[in-house]
Amino acid sequence: MLTLTQSISEKIKKAFRDAGYDESFGQVTISNRPDLCEFQCNGALMAAKQYHKAPIAIANEVAAKIEDGYFASIEVAAPGFINLKIADQSLLSYAKGMFEDEKFGFEPQGAGRKVIIDYGGANVAKPLHVGHLRPAIIGESIKRILSFDGYDAIGDVHLGDWGLQIGLIITELKRRQPDLPYYDDSFTGDYPKEAPFTIADLEEIYPYASKYSKTDDAYREEAKHATKLLQDGHRGYRAIWQHILDVSIEDLKKNYDNLNVHFELWKKESDANAYIPEIIEDLKAKGLAKIDEGALVVDVKEETDTKEMPPCILQKSDGAFLYASTDVATIYERKKLFDPAWIIYVVDKRQGLHFDQVFRTCKKGGLITDSTKLTFLGNGTMNGEGGKPFKTRDGDVLRLEFLIKSIVDKVAERMADSDIPADEKKKICDMVGLAAIKYGDLSNQATKDYIFDIDRFTAFEGNTGPYILYTLVRIKSLLQKLGVDESFDCGEALGSQKGVSESEKKLWLALSGFPDAVRKAADEIAPHKICTFIYEAADAFNSFYHDNRIISQEDAQIKNRWIALLKLVLGVVEKCVDMLGIKVPDRM
Ligand code: ARG
């Protein structure tokens, strides 16, 4: 099914053709002067150059050829705009098509293509902190949008499980419990099934060891050495590492679940490790990987570079592999296991150079071909008041749980007067709090920094998550009061265009923009485009609701059409909200 702007464009293109001009000038867009018209075509201005004619003359000729009846008004405005208003009947018939379509008129384009979205980036043994929030929220939303677009969309958490943090824990644990069998090289039996620590222990051990290693060089060297032994396969250290994974992953799953963020794959950096030696051999054989000051590097500079582009380091002089080696190997592994058409990374934008180096290494080395597109979507920073990074009072990074709690508490404060029973209210506050965070985040362009403003994000009015949920809850309750059930025939209700008011028409128009909005969001991997659509729809609904007494409407034809309208707002906006990873409560 065509989008509304597409089907209007078809009509204007035909008029250009019939008037003797190239039809490509007939492209129509949503008007940027809603006070004058709903849609506009600026093609005559462009055609003027090609046909050496006054644009207004072309516009007039074209306007005269436009099919009668479909539009409520067709006006030509100087210097050559064609301004259009659609007839109520045409708009309602488009809406009918939306109802009949499973995706409300959206044409998916990703079928048969696999996309992997790498957006977790959590590290085992370390709690999620505020820096993990944006990739999780944005990545989950992109996955949902692309999946709606027909892609086989796979989210991968890509856990950091292979770095110095594990060596630090091994070292610190040894200092505290030197008698554990993992440290006894002569031990050949089975190691205990139970981990010698809980998640709470780990959360204390890691920060302690990390801080301490900065004051004690020998300790830090020991941790590095332990990391190397682990990577080389030390039996006892591998066993500790496995305990860390088990304990940590269980906890991370719980935390991501609470965020309504779900991964299809729980792959780890270490999973790619096995491929590194063969990749290195291959890159050496191709003459791409070379020794430079003892390290093995790939030169990834290109002639057109305007910024500095250091080589990609694959192996340090002591033989250790690095973050880049792992990411190169992960791309290789993904190609091998999934052969995806597209890999998208949602990672802090400060890692942009790293991904430039990694992507170039993979392309130069032929580890990936043109059939796999690589995209780095670097997210901006979420800052606290005054635009400063979020920190605890001691200057540490803020744990995600605390941030979430602060916003849920604020929502609870705002809902203090409601008479909903305490249990249910708590669940609602959790949902609304999360919506406040997610919507506050996603309504900003992913690449931009923004300020996390608790007061603004939790407000029940304005462009906020709670406002959107409140609107949806209001519609649900209206439909309930109206006694509408599944058997209600929306198509039939749209048969009459009796008494369509201005606010009603605006709402139908807003909703008809759904397929275009989702198309843009998917093509530009930009969830904020969905937010813009949601806000416009919610706003149009609230004006309509303010202007019309729905429940007491006596004319059955009008009332039924309004019911259909409510159902379309609910269906479309709920779908959008779902693409943002936001859940809607039944009441609030
Ligand atoms: N674990 C990393 C970090 O904390 C982020 C991982 C992002 N994904 C990737 N493929 N490198 O910075």
Side-chain angles (χ1 to χ4, degrees):
M1 163 173 177
L2 297 181
T3 69
L4 186 55
T5 46
Q6 281 168 343
S7 47
I8 295 177
S9 295
E10 287 306 311
K11 298 192 189 306
I12 307 305
K13 281 180 180 171
K14 180 169 183 304
F16 266 89
R17 226 168 34 232
D18 291 349
Y21 299 101
D22 193 302
E23 68 161 39
S24 64
F25 295 112
Q27 191 59 45
V28 166
T29 56
I30 291 175
S31 159
N32 51 23
R33 286 290 304 273
D35 51 325
L36 295 180
C37 58
E38 293 153 358
F39 300 90
Q40 67 186 61
C41 171
N42 305 345
L45 303 173
M46 266 116 56
K49 293 192 193 96
Q50 186 176 324
Y51 293 95
H52 307 292
K53 222 174 180 180
I56 193 98
I58 300 179
N60 276 318
E61 288 169 47
V62 171
K65 297 282 185 194
I66 296 173
E67 171 191 323
D68 239 7
Y70 187 85
F71 295 100
S73 80
I74 302 164
E75 275 167 11
V76 171
F81 299 113
I82 303 174
N83 292 343
L84 304 161
K85 284 188 186 163
I86 188 172
D88 294 343
Q89 188 190 355
S90 317
L91 183 57
L92 292 177
S93 125
Y94 182 78
K96 192 160 177 270
M98 287 178 79
F99 270 114
E100 283 159 6
D101 187 86
E102 196 193 344
K103 297 201 164 186
F104 301 112
F106 176 73
E107 290 290 340
Q109 288 177 7
R113 271 183 288 167
K114 230 177 241 168
V115 54
I116 296 183
I117 304 125
D118 179 321
Y119 65 97
N123 301 302
V124 300
K126 299 193 209 175
L128 292 176
H129 61 73
V130 288
H132 292 116
L133 186 64
R134 294 211 73 199
I137 294 179
I138 299 166
E140 178 75 17
S141 175
I142 289 175
K143 184 179 77 187
R144 287 163 182 252
I145 293 169
L146 293 182
S147 155
F148 189 67
D149 196 14
Y151 283 89
D152 177 5
I154 306 168
D156 182 4
V157 66
H158 193 73
L159 283 181
D161 68 330
W162 213 218
L164 184 62
Q165 87 258 35
I166 309 290
L168 283 164
I169 293 170
I170 292 174
T171 303
E172 179 57 22
L173 193 66
K174 183 176 181 185
R175 203 182 61 77
R176 296 183 186 191
Q177 301 185 54
D179 296 335
L180 288 173
Y182 313 97
Y183 300 108
D184 176 0
D185 284 339
S186 62
F187 183 82
T188 53
D190 289 339
Y191 292 115
K193 290 243 161 354
E194 278 292 304
F197 41 69
T198 63
I199 186 70
D201 296 333
L202 279 184
E203 289 179 353
E204 181 269 322
I205 295 175
Y206 170 71
Y208 175 86
S210 166
K211 251 191 201 142
Y212 185 71
S213 72
K214 289 182 185 120
T215 64
D216 186 330
D217 287 345
Y219 184 91
R220 186 171 172 82
E221 281 315 308
E222 193 183 333
K224 278 192 189 162
H225 186 60
T227 312
K228 178 85 174 67
L229 289 180
L230 166 79
Q231 297 187 347
D232 290 345
H234 183 288
R235 195 171 155 262
Y237 291 2
R238 286 281 172 123
I240 297 180
W241 169 71
Q242 192 57 54
H243 286 313
I244 297 176
L245 285 184
D246 294 343
V247 169
S248 249
I249 291 177
E250 189 192 311
D251 183 63
L252 285 170
K253 281 198 171 149
K254 203 178 68 201
N255 282 300
Y256 276 121
D257 262 351
N258 286 340
L259 281 174
N260 195 22
V261 167
H262 312 279
F263 298 97
E264 284 63 32
L265 293 178
W266 279 78
K267 298 282 282 175
K268 314 178 289 299
E269 288 183 0
S270 62
D271 290 329
N273 208 45
Y275 302 103
I276 298 180
E278 64 190 84
I279 293 172
I280 286 185
E281 280 321 306
D282 182 43
L283 294 177
K284 273 189 190 159
K286 287 178 175 144
L288 292 169
K290 293 186 184 133
I291 302 289
D292 182 5
E293 292 176 28
L296 189 70
V297 308
V298 176
D299 179 16
V300 289
K301 266 205 289 290
E302 283 167 16
E303 264 179 29
T304 48
D305 284 340
T306 49
K307 58 178 191 227
E308 179 137 24
M309 181 56 65
C312 181
I313 309 177
L314 294 179
Q315 195 168 21
K316 288 201 297 189
S317 49
D318 65 0
F321 301 129
L322 296 109
Y323 189 42
S325 348
T326 305
D327 266 318
V328 167
T330 302
I331 290 181
Y332 179 81
E333 184 194 26
R334 285 176 178 158
K335 166 90 184 151
K336 214 177 165 93
L337 301 183
F338 304 100
D339 195 18
W342 197 5
I343 308 177
I344 302 173
Y345 292 83
V346 186
V347 181
D348 191 305
K349 69 179 171 197
R350 286 167 290 192
Q351 295 196 23
L353 176 64
H354 162 79
F355 283 101
D356 268 342
Q357 295 171 311
V358 166
F359 291 176
R360 286 183 183 194
T361 301
C362 289
K363 285 179 192 159
K364 267 186 106 169
L367 303 178
I368 204 93
T369 58
D370 285 346
S371 65
T372 306
K373 183 162 92 174
L374 299 174
T375 301
F376 172 69
L377 179 62
N379 64 268
T381 312
M382 181 186 90
N383 288 317
E385 267 172 66
K388 296 198 196 71
F390 260 105
K391 294 268 182 230
T392 63
R393 265 186 220 131
D394 311 332
D396 293 330
V397 283
L398 185 63
R399 283 179 67 151
L400 191 51
E401 283 172 59
F402 298 143
L403 179 92
I404 295 173
K405 183 166 184 317
S406 67
I407 206 146
V408 170
D409 286 350
K410 187 80 199 176
V411 169
E413 218 176 89
R414 292 192 192 267
M415 286 185 56
D417 303 340
S418 118
D419 46 19
I420 297 174
D423 277 7
E424 189 188 345
K425 191 148 124 190
K426 171 154 190 330
K427 286 197 187 113
I428 296 173
C429 289
D430 286 346
M431 271 194 211
V432 177
L434 199 54
I437 296 176
K438 289 193 169 187
Y439 192 88
D441 189 303
L442 293 169
S443 54
N444 291 286
Q445 218 170 302
T447 50
K448 295 223 168 104
D449 298 347
Y450 73 89
I451 294 179
F452 187 85
D453 182 337
I454 296 195
D455 280 325
R456 190 162 65 80
F457 287 8
T458 54
F460 280 54
E461 258 151 58
N463 190 8
T464 70
Y467 170 75
I468 304 303
L469 292 188
Y470 190 71
T471 303
L472 288 171
V473 165
R474 173 179 269 171
I475 298 170
K476 282 192 193 182
S477 115
L478 270 169
L479 285 169
Q480 213 166 33
K481 280 192 197 131
L482 287 158
V484 181
D485 61 23
E486 286 306 305
S487 65
F488 183 84
D489 185 342
C490 293
E492 195 186 302
L494 291 185
S496 155
Q497 73 247 27
K498 186 167 159 193
V500 175
S501 66
E502 199 168 322
S503 64
E504 180 182 343
K505 186 179 188 195
K506 278 210 173 116
L507 181 50
W508 286 113
L509 267 175
L511 298 175
S512 72
F514 172 80
D516 280 324
V518 182
R519 181 79 271 137
K520 276 211 187 93
D523 288 352
E524 298 168 28
I525 44 173
H528 72 277
K529 304 258 165 172
I530 304 265
C531 294
T532 307
F533 170 81
I534 293 179
Y535 183 55
E536 281 170 10
D539 228 23
F541 165 76
N542 283 310
S543 307
F544 165 76
Y545 178 75
H546 182 262
D547 287 355
N548 298 286
R549 303 277 78 87
I550 303 172
I551 308 246
S552 57
Q553 171 59 247
E554 275 162 18
D555 185 299
Q557 280 184 341
I558 297 181
K559 192 170 185 171
N560 279 343
R561 192 181 63 236
W562 286 355
I563 290 175
L565 180 54
L566 293 181
K567 290 195 83 156
L568 192 61
V569 187
L570 185 65
V572 160
V573 178
E574 256 188 332
K575 186 66 237 172
C576 287
V577 161
D578 181 58
M579 283 192 259
L580 303 180
I582 293 176
K583 286 188 189 158
V584 188
D586 288 327
R587 56 175 179 164
M588 59 191 271

